[in-house]
């Protein structure tokens, strides 16, 4: 039996090289997306050495697209969008229009067809949700007014791109038929678009009427079965099954089906658990998606077309940013908000890659356009953290809004407000103890604030967030995050700032206990041991 097959070789090469390049990118304080794209270039056909199977990589990428769009749907919040709708909706649509027209202008100069220019412009108009959220979280701006505007803006962009993914195949079919017939007319254009619209409307109606009832019912039934494995499988089956069913039965894209499956699931109380259970698989296939995109990139574009590449990067970083800044200011928002939105959008990512792949697959986008999109993405993702940090540092006006007054005399810092952290917080509050909660998840942070607790939104692995929580004046730190190895890193950061800090950490295994004790954590609580001790005590055998 052969020990190497194209499928295994593609998956192994993609993940291993992506890990190495992602780690290097992280070390350089860049988005890991840059590393994943470079990994694809390394294992692609345009560089020497091992070449992964491009066909298999594209099929794996389809799964990545489905899971990425499912994740977008899970995080889609109509409430957040409505809170900033007056600026996010017109702002995003206006900025997309401006960027698309600039892209179409460059495409016209390059001699590409009209539909290819439209696809190219749309790909340049939409920013990466992954990069945006990372930048906002790093600057501790997610829960500020400008952070909510930026996220709402991205939601509108995502919805527009979902619509574009649905209509682009129909438009391509119309254009191809028109070319074959020697011309186009209004009827030839309207009939396929009307047919596609009816199919999409039928799918949306089915999901809203039937899916909204069946999907939550099925998941609740699985939850009551008590099987975590079955729940995880059910979530994946819903994501992949709805996406595939939408494509087969309604002839709409995998992306739209997955988005609606995630959106409906996101409205249920089980959405957070569904996110946690499927995150590892979604991340793995998302990595393979970015690797497959990198495999399509021909580095020769850097030498062959330096001026078009420079123009593409200028549209992404300068053109989009100026348009966004002008729109935000025109709606009466302050300069720091406009600068934050402008910096947030000065990059492209996931949807750009999906549009580039779809456009080339339909034959409406030239290969050189795809290469320019990929090169522009790599350059913009590379530069965006630097641009964002410079702008954020230039104006600290909202920092006071983000950092609540914290107790400064011997208080407790509680890291993590999940299932365990919430119980600890409730007990500390009952005892009227002075403590601060540190949490990165927005929903959990909201929950803690609603309970009347002092909250610092940010990672305990970053010194500035620890300082905001009053680490230098704290007496104790309770690390309630479930990952023991992450807890060890938090302990090292905290003790570096406050050597006298008393740390109590949580662990799940003997290996985690040994790791934490090896780092000098004085008190490590392992849930299984405490459960066993309590059960023995209750039965009189303790």
């Amino acid at each position: 039996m052969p020990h190497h097959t194209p499928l295994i070789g593609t998956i192994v090469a993609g993940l291993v090289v992506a890990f190495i390049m992602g780690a290097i990118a992280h070390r350089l304080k860049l988005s890991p997306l840059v590393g994943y794209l470079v990994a694809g270039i390394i294992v692609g056909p345009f560089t020497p050495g091992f070449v992964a199977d491009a066909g298999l990589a594209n099929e794996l990428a389809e799964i990545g697209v489905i899971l990425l769009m499912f994740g977008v749907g899970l995080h889609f919040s109509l409430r957040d969008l409505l809170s900033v709708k007056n600026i996010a909706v017109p702002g995003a649509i206006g900025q997309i229009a401006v960027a698309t027209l600039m892209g179409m202008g460059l495409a016209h100069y390059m001699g590409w067809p009209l539909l290819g220019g439209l696809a190219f412009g749309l790909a340049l108009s939409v920013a990466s949700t992954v990069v945006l959220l990372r930048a906002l979280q790093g600057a501790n701006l997610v829960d500020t007014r400008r952070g909510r505007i930026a996220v709402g803006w991205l939601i509108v962009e995502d919805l527009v791109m979902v619509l574009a993914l649905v209509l682009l195949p129909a438009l391509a079919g119309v254009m191809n038929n028109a070319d074959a017939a020697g011309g186009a007319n209004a009827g030839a254009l309207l009939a396929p678009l009307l047919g596609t619209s009816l199919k999409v409307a039928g799918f949306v109606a089915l999901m809203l009427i039937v899916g909204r009832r069946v999907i939550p019912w099925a998941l609740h039934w699985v939850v009551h079965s008590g099987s975590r494995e079955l729940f995880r499988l059910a979530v994946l089956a819903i994501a992949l099954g709805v996406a595939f069913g939408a494509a087969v039965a309604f002839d709409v894209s995998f992306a739209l089906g997955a988005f609606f499956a995630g959106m409906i699931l996101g409205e249920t109380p089980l959405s957070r658990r569904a996110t946690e259970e499927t995150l590892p698989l979604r991340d793995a296939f998302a990595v393979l998606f970015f690797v497959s995109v990198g495999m399509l990139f021909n580095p020769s574009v850097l030498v062959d077309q330096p001026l078009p590449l420079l123009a593409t990067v200028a549209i992404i970083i300068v053109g989009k940013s100026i348009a966004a800044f002008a729109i935000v200011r025109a709606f009466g928002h302050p300069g720091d908000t406009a600068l934050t939105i402008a910096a947030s959008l000065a990059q492209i990512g996931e949807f750009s890659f999906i549009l580039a792949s779809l456009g080339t697959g339909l034959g409406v986008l030239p290969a050189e356009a795809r290469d320019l999109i990929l090169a522009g993405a790599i350059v913009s993702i590379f530069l965006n953290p630097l641009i964002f940090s410079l702008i954020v540092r230039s104006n600290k006006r909202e920092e006071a809004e983000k950092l609540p007054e914290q107790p400064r005399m011997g208080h407790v810092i509680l890291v993590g407000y999940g299932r365990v952290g919430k119980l600890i917080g409730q007990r500390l509050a009952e005892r009227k103890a002075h403590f601060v909660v540190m949490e990165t998840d927005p929903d959990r942070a909201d929950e803690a604030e609603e309970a009347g607790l002092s909250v610092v939104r940010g990672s305990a692995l970053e010194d500035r967030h620890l300082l905001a929580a009053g680490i230098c004046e704290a007496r104790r730190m309770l690390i309630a995050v479930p990952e023991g190895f992450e807890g060890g890193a938090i302990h090292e950061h905290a003790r570096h700032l406050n050597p006298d800090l008393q740390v109590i950490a949580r662990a799940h295994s003997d290996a985690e206990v040994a790791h934490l004790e090896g780092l000098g954590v004085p008190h490590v609580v392992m849930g299984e041991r405490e459960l066993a001790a309590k059960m023995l005590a209750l039965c009189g055998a303790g």
Side-chain angles (χ1 to χ4, degrees):
M1 178 180 177
H3 294 284
H4 168 75
T5 67
L7 177 61
I8 295 175
T10 299
I11 293 175
V12 171
L15 292 179
V16 170
V17 180
F19 164 71
I20 295 171
M21 301 311 298
I24 293 174
H26 180 75
R27 185 73 175 174
L28 296 174
K29 300 188 182 302
L30 301 173
S31 170
L33 295 185
V34 174
Y36 305 153
L37 292 169
V38 173
I41 297 172
I42 292 173
V43 301
F46 301 105
T47 53
F50 174 82
V51 177
D53 189 304
L56 288 172
N58 287 334
E59 291 191 26
L60 293 170
E62 286 285 2
I63 301 177
V65 170
I66 291 172
L67 296 178
L68 273 172
M69 292 303 301
F70 180 69
V72 171
L74 275 174
H75 290 95
F76 177 76
S77 173
L78 188 60
R79 180 189 63 185
D80 291 344
L81 177 59
L82 291 176
S83 69
V84 293
K85 64 182 185 300
N86 292 334
I87 175 61
V89 174
I93 293 174
Q95 176 254 301
I96 288 173
V98 171
T100 300
L101 288 173
M102 289 190 290
M104 292 178 70
L106 177 58
H108 178 72
Y109 172 79
M110 298 290 291
W112 301 338
L114 179 63
L115 189 56
L118 176 63
F120 181 72
L122 285 171
L124 301 186
S125 70
V126 59
S128 166
T129 306
V130 175
V131 176
L132 170 71
L133 288 177
R134 174 169 177 164
L136 292 176
Q137 288 169 352
N140 208 25
L141 292 174
V142 174
D143 198 48
T144 62
R145 174 71 177 174
R146 48 181 165 165
R148 287 192 292 271
I149 292 174
V151 173
W153 196 297
L154 257 292
I155 290 173
V156 177
E157 284 194 348
D158 289 350
L159 291 175
V160 173
M161 291 307 119
V162 168
L163 181 62
L165 292 175
V166 172
L167 294 180
L168 190 59
L171 288 171
V174 171
M175 297 302 292
N176 291 336
N177 292 334
D179 291 340
N185 56 62
L189 181 64
L190 288 176
L193 291 180
L194 181 60
T196 300
S197 300
L198 290 175
K199 290 177 182 178
V200 172
F203 169 71
V204 172
L206 180 66
M207 291 299 294
L208 294 179
I209 297 171
V210 179
R212 184 172 280 179
R213 292 172 173 82
V214 173
I215 291 176
W217 172 83
L219 279 181
H220 279 93
W221 180 86
V222 173
V223 166
H224 287 105
S225 72
S227 172
R228 181 175 181 179
E229 179 181 345
L230 196 59
F231 179 83
R232 186 182 300 121
L233 184 61
V235 174
L236 292 174
I238 289 171
L240 297 173
V242 171
F244 186 76
V248 172
F250 293 91
D251 198 26
V252 300
S253 67
F254 287 138
L256 183 65
F259 175 80
F260 267 91
M263 187 177 69
I264 288 174
L265 185 53
E267 295 177 352
T268 71
L270 298 170
S271 60
R272 181 181 297 171
R273 182 177 173 187
T275 301
E276 293 172 351
E277 294 289 350
T278 59
L279 187 60
L281 191 62
R282 284 195 290 124
D283 284 347
F285 275 99
V287 168
L288 290 175
F289 166 70
F290 292 119
V291 170
S292 73
V293 170
M295 289 176 64
L296 300 173
F297 175 62
N298 187 349
S300 64
V301 70
L302 301 175
V303 178
D304 297 340
Q305 301 192 69
L307 293 181
L309 175 59
L310 185 62
T312 300
V313 174
I315 291 172
I316 297 169
I317 295 180
V318 180
K320 282 172 57 179
S321 298
I322 291 176
F325 181 88
I327 291 170
V328 175
R329 290 292 288 155
F331 275 80
H333 291 271
D336 57 351
T337 298
L339 284 172
T340 301
I341 305 303
S344 301
L345 302 174
Q347 37 83 14
I348 59 174
E350 307 93 291
F351 270 110
S352 305
F353 305 148
I354 297 172
L355 277 168
S357 299
L358 179 62
T360 52
L362 294 171
V364 301
L365 197 64
E368 57 185 331
R370 178 193 62 205
D371 291 337
L372 289 175
I373 291 170
L374 300 181
I378 293 173
V379 173
S380 65
I381 292 173
F382 184 89
L383 294 177
N384 188 254
L386 176 62
I387 296 171
F388 199 91
S389 63
L390 289 175
I391 288 180
V392 170
R393 287 175 190 170
S394 69
N395 197 321
K396 297 289 186 179
R397 193 173 75 180
E398 277 199 84
E399 289 300 313
E401 170 192 327
K402 284 301 302 155
L403 301 180
E405 289 295 323
Q406 307 295 350
R408 297 297 185 188
M409 296 297 296
H411 62 288
V412 175
I413 297 177
L414 172 60
V415 181
Y417 199 71
R419 290 179 298 174
V420 173
K422 189 184 302 183
L423 292 172
I424 295 173
Q426 290 172 351
R427 300 296 185 273
L428 290 173
E430 289 170 0
R431 299 176 184 178
K432 301 190 181 304
H434 297 293
F435 70 101
V436 178
V437 175
M438 297 191 69
E439 179 57 68
T440 57
D441 184 88
D443 292 336
R444 291 174 179 169
D446 288 342
E447 197 172 351
E449 287 183 343
E450 288 169 3
L453 307 181
S454 296
V455 179
V456 169
R457 296 171 182 261
S459 172
L461 292 172
E462 295 191 31
D463 290 352
R464 59 196 182 88
H465 294 151
L466 288 170
L467 292 171
I471 186 66
C472 297
E473 297 82 16
R475 184 176 77 253
R476 291 190 179 91
M477 172 178 279
L478 307 179
I479 303 176
V481 296
E483 293 81 10
F485 295 104
E486 180 185 353
I490 292 172
H491 164 262
E492 289 186 305
H493 277 267
R495 289 294 295 271
H496 172 72
L497 296 173
N498 183 352
D500 298 325
L501 187 69
Q502 300 177 30
V503 178
I504 302 172
R506 172 188 174 190
H508 266 308
S509 66
D510 292 332
E512 290 183 356
V513 172
H515 175 73
L516 290 166
E517 290 178 344
L519 293 176
V521 179
H523 304 288
V524 181
V525 179
M526 180 177 169
E528 289 77 0
R529 291 179 181 175
E530 299 303 318
L531 282 170
K534 181 65 174 179
M535 293 176 75
L536 288 171
L538 290 173
C539 75

